[in-house]
Amino acid sequence: MPYVSISEFETRLQWRSDSGALLSGDGAPPIPVGQWNPETLLVAAVEGRTLLAFMEQARSLGVEVLFYQSSAMARCVEGQDGAPHYTDLIVRPHVAVRTEDDARRAQGIFEALPERCFPSSMLRLTPRIEPLIDTWDEQHAAELETARRGRLPVTVWRP
């Protein structure tokens, strides 16, 4: 018999007449849904899953990730029948790694993610992942570490 892994995720949504609804679940702090609509939360879930899946694979392949930041966008179209559906879901991670070898491995991870990552198997939509991968020298990595310790703003792009 093949091995099957089953995970369960539970959320709770509580309506509050004065402030919309409060979403909670899996031991995480509650999110006021009145400030975040469900469509945005879906896009954020895909973006978060992309981060977790990438970091897991990077760790297993020994890729030294120095920086990860992403943005995501989804396009929802309302059809003639009035039913909305997503036509595009794009995650744009910006990753910095130590070496060119790590950059090649990172690119390979991103190429494999759309078919292996949660949204493809649960939604009838395969997200496009459009990474930007940098190789940072020792000085840039040290500046990032200094900024993290001192909570200084991090400059990613240099002229």
Side-chain angles (χ1 to χ4, degrees), residues 43-44 46-47 50 70-75 86-93 119 125-131:
V43 174
V46 171
E47 187 176 11
T50 300
S70 65
S71 64
M73 182 279 296
R75 183 173 294 114
Y86 287 95
T87 59
D88 285 297
L89 181 51
I90 302 169
V91 179
R92 294 185 178 104
L125 169 68
T126 300
R128 290 192 319 260
I129 299 177
E130 301 172 349

Side-chain angles (χ1 to χ4, degrees), residues 49-130:
R49 186 66 196 121
T50 300
L51 163 68
L52 294 174
F54 172 78
M55 294 303 283
E56 179 181 286
Q57 286 295 306
R59 200 172 305 116
S60 74
L61 295 175
V63 174
E64 186 177 359
V65 178
L66 303 173
F67 176 84
Y68 185 108
Q69 179 176 310
S70 65
S71 64
M73 182 279 296
R75 183 173 294 114
C76 188
V77 174
E78 190 172 307
Q80 291 179 349
D81 62 358
H85 64 279
Y86 287 95
T87 59
D88 285 297
L89 181 51
I90 302 169
V91 179
R92 294 185 178 104
H94 178 187
V95 176
V97 296
R98 177 84 54 201
T99 67
E100 289 298 325
D101 240 12
D102 282 350
R104 279 188 291 281
R105 286 193 297 247
Q107 185 65 43
I109 293 168
F110 282 120
E111 288 170 1
L113 278 185
E115 295 305 320
R116 300 177 63 206
C117 200
F118 126 82
S120 302
S121 60
M122 297 175 76
L123 304 174
R124 293 186 181 173
L125 169 68
T126 300
R128 290 192 319 260
I129 299 177
E130 301 172 349

